[in-house]
Amino acid sequence: MVSYQLPVLAAMIILQVACSYPNQPSTIKHTADLNSRADNIAHQCCLQLQNRLGDKVLYPQSPAYDDYQSGPLGYWTEQEASIIPTCRILPACSVDVALAISVLAENHCLFAVRGGGHMSWAGAANIQDGVTIDLSAINQVDVSVDSKVTSIGGGARWEDVYLKLDRMGLAVAGGRVAEVGVGGLLTGGGNSFFAAQHGFACDNVHNYEVVLGSGKIINANIEENHDLFRALKGGTNNFGVVTRFDLNTFVQGKLWGGFIINPIETAADQFRYIEDFATASGSGIDPHASVINAYIFGAKGPSAIANQFTYTKPEPYPSILGNFTSVQPQISNTLRVTNLTDLTIELGAGTPNGFRQLFGTATFAANAPLLAHLFSLARAAFLPIQNITNFQASFVLQPISTAITSKAALTGGNSLGLGAEHGNLVFSRILSVPPFFASSPPDFTPSQIGLDLTLQYSLPKDDAAVLNATQTLLTQSIAYARTQNLYNEFVYLNYALQSQDPIASYGPENVARLREVSRSYDPQGVFQTLCPGGFKLWREKDDKGVW
């Protein structure tokens, strides 16, 4: 794994050999129009990129551009799809990305980077009147000869990965929703059905191929550029564009999993069961089980509880999940022995494209009375907005035990600031509701739980009301948990509201380390000043004077 710097001319020569050009409609017809606006930096950058990358540069009103914007290959949320970049680049390999970054940095052109495009808020992976680098075509999935490492392109989705690995009897610790992008999940931390066995998804990265702000392509792993290797595990898009992830790979056959839907009246029991599960999982009783415990809200308020269970062996109804699976009555039950692709497609059915979405998150102790109180706060916060068009939401609890957080130290460390010393955590969020669900009706403890919020709705006019309800719920929940000494500062980046600061929640030592890595590998601040999307290391504009 050799680091190298590609001059522009050399990059162009290699480009012709190593990168295949997508068969896209010609964009040359746009040149005259662009030349008439040559004073616009973004248009100048698009012209230069078109000259070097040809039809890999896409423009508005072209069919290919629309497909990757709001069509079948488009963004998850309407907020992101509404952002219109001046041009969209569809690179085919890391050399394409390196050339693009060099041009954008040299011309001080604002840009965004899109992997899967599954973050909710506008501008996270798209940019108005700038250039969006869309990695969708860099989606290869290659397994090493010894089947121990899977190399995945930065634009792949998890469905791409699991379709190939299922056929080979293999797996990686990756995302749980088929359509989620590999890149965003892994650089944000990443939860997994295999987390209790193998840690966060980012802890399973063996190597990153990264394009830096200089256009240089390097590898980062435990032996080479180790500081960057660690920083990318939670540090998101602050250092470069990851064009390939090499993931540790293991033998995996069939799994058991699916959904059980119960009436909302069983909530009190289920709060106790999620606390018990977090404690049992943290003690190492059975690392093969995971639970996503979701409380469904709709136009008439809370209506049902949807539990997603996964057991990474083909063994139905394991005892560690017995409390949950014995709850009656059951409105529906899809539990079966199946493969990873099938489970992730089913889970993704609850988060369809084409809606407005909002995330938010916090982390608390896994304490049943606390969870019951937070649920009552959610009921009150959502009451004023439950009649807006297509409103659906769910209050989701996800245990994160010490079995998960203890793994980072064994694989080179990560940037999240979580370790076994923090005890058993649980993330909780409000999620958009699957269509088939929508029609259905103390003292501090080391076991903790997170509150992760996502709301689904349709109309831009409701943005302010939905945001206000989400912020109100987070503020009230955190304030109450603090009074009970049951709040944990950690904010899970992949579920965070735009106004939250997940990087800061990693702790001062990790923030300082991440900023030092940024200065070292991106001394011109390309990914802090020219790539505004995502969660930045310096949140305030006047705090970027280092450059």
Side-chain angles (χ1 to χ4, degrees), residues 114-396:
R114 184 239 180 142
H118 209 268
M119 184 55 82
S120 63
W121 45 276
N126 206 5
I127 189 164
Q128 185 70 37
D129 302 326
V131 178
T132 294
I133 301 174
D134 193 320
L135 301 178
S136 296
I138 307 179
N139 61 356
Q140 76 278 3
V141 180
D142 299 316
V143 181
S144 63
V145 175
D146 62 5
S147 298
K148 292 184 178 179
V149 175
T150 300
S151 297
I152 307 169
R157 311 290 181 95
W158 288 108
E159 184 174 2
D160 301 325
V161 179
Y162 299 145
L163 280 170
K164 181 161 188 173
L165 295 185
D166 276 341
R167 293 193 297 266
M168 302 175 69
L170 302 171
V172 294
R176 298 167 297 175
V177 173
E179 285 300 306
V180 165
V182 168
L185 182 118
L186 289 176
T187 57
N191 204 348
S192 165
F193 294 138
F194 302 99
Q197 297 167 259
H198 299 285
F200 286 111
C202 67
D203 296 325
N204 292 267
V205 178
H206 177 73
N207 177 71
Y208 300 88
E209 179 187 76
V210 190
V211 178
L212 301 180
S214 63
K216 186 177 182 180
I217 303 173
I218 67 172
N219 287 281
N221 51 62
I222 200 166
E223 296 180 351
E224 183 181 7
N225 301 310
H226 177 262
D227 52 350
L228 178 60
F229 175 64
R230 178 171 178 171
L232 286 166
K233 298 181 178 184
T236 191
N237 68 349
N238 283 293
F239 314 102
V241 180
V242 181
T243 49
R244 193 187 76 239
F245 298 84
D246 299 334
L247 288 185
N248 297 326
T249 305
F250 48 88
V251 174
Q252 177 65 46
K254 298 284 189 178
L255 311 87
W256 175 84
F259 280 93
I260 292 179
I261 314 300
N262 302 113
I264 196 67
E265 288 75 19
T266 64
D269 288 337
Q270 300 217 28
F271 292 137
R272 292 197 304 272
Y273 298 158
I274 201 70
E275 177 181 353
D276 292 345
F277 177 84
T279 302
S281 181
S283 68
I285 289 177
D286 192 337
H288 298 282
S290 63
V291 177
I292 302 175
N293 177 229
Y295 298 79
I296 309 301
F297 288 76
K300 296 183 179 180
S303 60
I305 301 171
N307 284 307
Q308 199 281 342
F309 305 112
T310 300
Y311 196 68
T312 59
K313 293 180 178 181
E315 300 174 6
Y317 296 94
S319 60
I320 193 171
L321 298 173
N323 282 344
F324 285 109
T325 57
S326 63
V327 174
Q328 296 293 334
Q330 294 182 0
I331 298 171
S332 65
N333 182 329
T334 70
L335 294 170
R336 74 277 190 198
V337 173
T338 186
N339 60 37
L340 194 52
T341 304
D342 182 42
L343 284 179
T344 58
I345 289 174
E346 180 185 47
L347 190 51
T351 55
N353 286 22
F355 290 92
R356 304 184 78 77
Q357 306 274 0
L358 198 67
F359 280 162
T361 186
T363 306
F364 305 101
N367 174 279
L370 171 68
L371 300 180
H373 185 78
L374 299 185
F375 179 72
S376 69
L377 293 177
R379 186 191 296 259
F382 295 151
L383 181 62
I385 62 171
Q386 65 188 30
N387 290 320
I388 68 175
T389 303
N390 289 327
F391 171 74
Q392 298 181 42
S394 60
F395 176 100
V396 184

